[in-house]
């Protein structure tokens, strides 16, 4: 059963239950946040304003979510379409930073949370709320991202995280929902996967996914076609970039949201973007996620390819380190950390030259770059060819280069392998 709000607080931004008057609830319409909506009114005697953010998660009916919130007693329910802002201010920088965490996770959730939390701050302020409530558990990264954002941007606002403190399991939540007339989406019979999605990807956690030796069951894939069922004919897509951002698909200029959606649809059809990922969470846990990231699985490699072409070997080696640092900061919930801005300044500068076109061939789960072109490529077919010499490159200079280039390695080798120096 529901327990009363815990009065002991650990962090400065946690709400004292006695002073919670009006709560901005980040509302998805699902079981947790619907139970929260009632529970906050009952347990705190507080008013609740709901905020639902559209980041391009497919299949949502926002009118239904809004109606449900109002029926469950919300004072107001605001539905915000933040797709354009998400694409321009969060996904585009991630593309410029080739952002992958742990070698495979394109960070869609980690990119969405700081924006959702920022919007929560904006709406809490404009609707006179003193507290923000979210539905994260105490075991994940999302609580870190959301609370770090709120505590950074709005020190005057407090936070409550009922799911973290109320100690209701799923059964008890369902019981609570029944008692309070809260409809349960999708029925109460089988525990669903824990899903989070937006236009940059979709994650599934829970159930058999927690068994590391359990291969993915077919029903987890709701976005990407299983590769074995993908078309027998390959398809090649061309993506044009300007300054590191995709601007056209197959020769047609599109706004970033529409472009990402269109790439995702084509990739999904060809089974592209399934990632079965073991991940080190910020809170210490090691977990497994199943990701479906068809757009990222095409656009990130395409961007990276173009960037490698227009940059020198030194830029390419250096930027890879910064890319990794960028992904880690964002994963770890520190979107507002000044270092991220510093890194972005570097990313933007490098990406000034990342203009050109990349073609990616899609076939049964694979996406492979097949052609590239850029006016800024540090590439000269004549120089690269075996057939010719001259121009900027002198083959005659090569032996001199090799002698000096290998000098220290040769000296060290001699030192360590000299039989005269070997002990008996
Ligand atoms: N593991 C990913 C991350 O930490 C995805 C989390 C999905 N969140 C969720 N509440 N289901 O960013």
């Amino acid at each position: 059963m529901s327990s009363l709000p815990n009065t002991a607080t650990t962090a400065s931004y946690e709400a004292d239950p006695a002073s919670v008057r009006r709560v901005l609830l980040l509302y998805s319409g699902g079981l947790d946040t619907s139970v929260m909506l009632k529970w906050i009114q009952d347990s705190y005697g507080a008013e609740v304003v709901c905020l639902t953010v559209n980041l391009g998660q497919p299949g949502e009916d926002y009118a239904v979510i809004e109606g449900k919130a109002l029926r469950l007693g919300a004072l107001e329910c605001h539905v915000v379409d933040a797709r354009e802002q998400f694409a321009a201010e969060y996904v585009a920088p991630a593309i410029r930073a080739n952002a992958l965490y742990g070698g495979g996770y394109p960070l869609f959730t980690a990119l969405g949370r700081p924006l959702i939390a920022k919007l929560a701050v904006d709406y809490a302020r404009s609707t006179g709320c003193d507290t923000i409530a979210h539905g994260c558990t105490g075991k994940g990264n999302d609580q870190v991202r959301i609370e770090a954002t709120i505590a950074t941007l709005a020190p005057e606002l407090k936070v409550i995280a009922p799911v973290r403190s109320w100690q209701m399991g799923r059964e008890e939540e369902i019981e609570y929902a029944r008692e309070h007339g809260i409809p349960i989406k999708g029925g109460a019979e089988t525990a669903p996967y824990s899903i989070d999605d937006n236009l940059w990807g979709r994650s599934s956690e829970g159930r058999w996914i927690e068994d590391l030796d359990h291969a993915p069951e077919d029903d987890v894939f709701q976005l990407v076609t299983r590769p074995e069922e993908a078309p027998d004919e390959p398809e090649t897509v061309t993506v044009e970039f300007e300054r590191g951002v995709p601007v056209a698909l197959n020769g047609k200029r599109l706004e970033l949201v529409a472009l990402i959606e269109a790439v995702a649809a084509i990739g999904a059809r060809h089974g592209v973007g399934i990632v079965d990922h073991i991940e080190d969470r910020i809170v210490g846990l090691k977990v497994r996620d199943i990701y479906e990231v068809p757009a990222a699985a095409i656009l990130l490699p395409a961007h990276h390819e173009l960037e490698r072409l227009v940059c020198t070997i030194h830029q390419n080696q250096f930027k890879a380190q910064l890319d990794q640092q960028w992904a880690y900061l964002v994963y770890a919930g520190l979107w507002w950390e000044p270092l991220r801005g510093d890194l972005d300044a570097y990313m933007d500068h490098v990406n000034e030259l990342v203009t050109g076109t990349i073609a990616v061939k899609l076939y049964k789960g694979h996406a492979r770059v097949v052609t590239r072109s850029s006016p800024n490529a540090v590439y000269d077919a004549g120089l690269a060819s075996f057939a010719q010499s001259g121009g900027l490159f002198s083959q005659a200079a090569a032996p001199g280069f090799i002698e000096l280039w290998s000098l220290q390695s040769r000296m060290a080798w001699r030192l360590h392998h000299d039989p005269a120096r070997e002990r008996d």
Side-chain angles (χ1 to χ4, degrees):
M1 283 299 87
S2 65
S3 54
L4 281 171
N6 189 351
T7 42
T9 58
T10 305
S12 57
Y13 61 79
E14 285 183 287
D16 165 10
S19 33
V20 175
R21 304 257 181 282
R22 187 179 287 178
V23 176
L24 186 292
L25 168 63
L26 281 167
Y27 186 64
S28 71
L31 177 65
D32 285 338
T33 56
S34 295
V35 169
M36 279 169 64
L37 173 45
K38 267 277 181 225
W39 187 84
I40 291 168
Q41 298 171 72
D42 289 352
S43 314
Y44 292 88
E47 296 173 327
V48 180
V49 174
C50 287
L51 175 67
T52 303
V53 182
N54 174 1
L55 294 184
Q57 51 276 42
E60 295 285 18
D61 187 332
Y62 293 101
V64 169
I65 294 174
E66 185 180 352
K68 188 169 176 181
L70 296 175
R71 253 195 329 281
L72 294 176
L75 221 54
E76 303 158 19
C77 180
H78 300 271
V79 175
V80 180
D81 182 350
R83 286 177 296 172
E84 260 178 48
Q85 188 181 7
F86 181 54
E89 296 174 23
Y90 294 78
V91 178
I95 294 173
R96 287 193 289 262
N98 302 306
L100 282 179
Y101 174 72
Y105 169 42
L107 296 169
F108 51 88
T109 296
L111 292 164
R113 291 301 187 254
L115 174 55
I116 290 171
K118 183 194 181 301
L119 291 168
V121 164
D122 295 345
Y123 277 82
R125 284 176 170 160
S126 68
T127 59
C129 292
D130 47 69
T131 302
I132 292 173
H134 62 76
C136 302
T137 71
K139 286 192 161 179
N141 296 318
D142 291 332
Q143 55 175 344
V144 183
R145 298 163 182 153
I146 289 176
E147 294 179 15
T149 296
I150 296 166
T152 303
L153 301 185
E156 83 281 8
L157 292 173
K158 299 294 178 190
V159 174
I160 56 175
V163 178
R164 194 167 59 189
S165 55
W166 67 22
Q167 287 168 350
M168 279 195 270
R170 183 176 151 81
E171 291 311 312
E172 288 150 306
E173 279 189 43
I174 289 170
E175 184 61 34
Y176 186 98
R178 287 216 174 96
E179 278 170 19
H180 293 81
I182 301 168
I184 301 163
K185 203 167 76 178
E189 290 69 37
T190 44
Y193 296 108
S194 167
I195 303 295
D196 188 62
D197 55 359
N198 60 45
L199 61 89
W200 199 227
R202 165 188 168 94
S203 78
S204 304
E205 295 174 344
R207 294 180 54 191
W208 54 262
I209 299 170
E210 289 165 4
D211 296 333
L212 302 189
D213 63 354
H214 196 124
E217 288 184 16
D218 293 350
D219 72 346
V220 75
F221 301 116
Q222 297 293 320
L223 188 60
V224 174
T225 307
R226 292 190 306 124
E228 48 270 57
E229 285 168 0
D232 292 329
E233 287 306 310
E235 180 171 352
T236 298
V237 292
T238 60
V239 185
E240 190 181 333
F241 289 83
E242 279 174 15
R243 298 174 178 213
V245 180
V247 294
L249 176 65
N250 293 332
K252 186 171 165 215
R253 280 190 89 85
L254 291 170
E255 295 298 325
L256 190 51
V257 172
L259 187 144
I260 291 170
E261 285 173 349
V263 172
I266 300 172
R269 186 146 42 85
H270 285 278
V272 166
I274 292 174
V275 183
D276 184 339
H277 202 237
I278 299 295
E279 200 162 286
D280 291 304
R281 281 192 187 157
I282 319 158
V283 294
L285 295 169
K286 204 180 277 291
V287 295
R288 179 191 188 194
D289 282 85
I290 304 282
Y291 294 127
E292 295 169 82
V293 290
I298 295 169
L299 295 176
L300 288 177
H303 171 270
H304 207 169
E305 179 82 356
L306 192 56
E307 189 182 85
R308 269 193 299 265
L309 198 60
V310 304
C311 286
T312 66
I313 180 173
H314 306 289
Q315 290 175 302
N316 283 328
Q317 290 194 5
F318 185 66
K319 187 163 180 294
Q321 300 168 41
L322 300 196
D323 288 351
Q324 202 179 343
Q325 185 71 41
W326 194 96
Y328 177 65
L329 271 186
V330 172
Y331 184 81
L334 298 182
W335 179 264
W336 310 100
E337 153 65 42
L339 178 58
R340 206 255 316 155
D342 300 344
L343 292 173
D344 272 337
Y346 183 82
M347 305 294 173
D348 291 352
H349 192 259
V350 170
N351 274 277
E352 284 290 308
L353 292 176
V354 183
T355 293
T357 303
I358 298 289
V360 184
K361 188 168 177 175
L362 314 177
Y363 181 62
K364 292 195 183 290
H366 295 279
R368 181 164 52 89
V369 170
V370 287
T371 68
R372 57 296 267 159
S373 74
S374 168
N376 304 323
V378 187
Y379 180 79
D380 179 330
L383 284 185
S385 159
F386 289 112
Q388 296 169 28
S389 201
L392 291 173
F393 198 95
S394 158
Q395 294 204 51
F401 163 74
I402 296 163
E403 173 144 277
L404 305 190
W405 175 243
S406 64
L407 177 61
Q408 289 199 9
S409 309
R410 288 185 288 121
M411 289 169 70
W413 180 270
R414 191 170 300 178
L415 199 58
H416 303 316
H417 295 81
D418 182 355
R421 287 175 56 95
E422 243 151 54
R423 304 242 167 102
D424 45 338

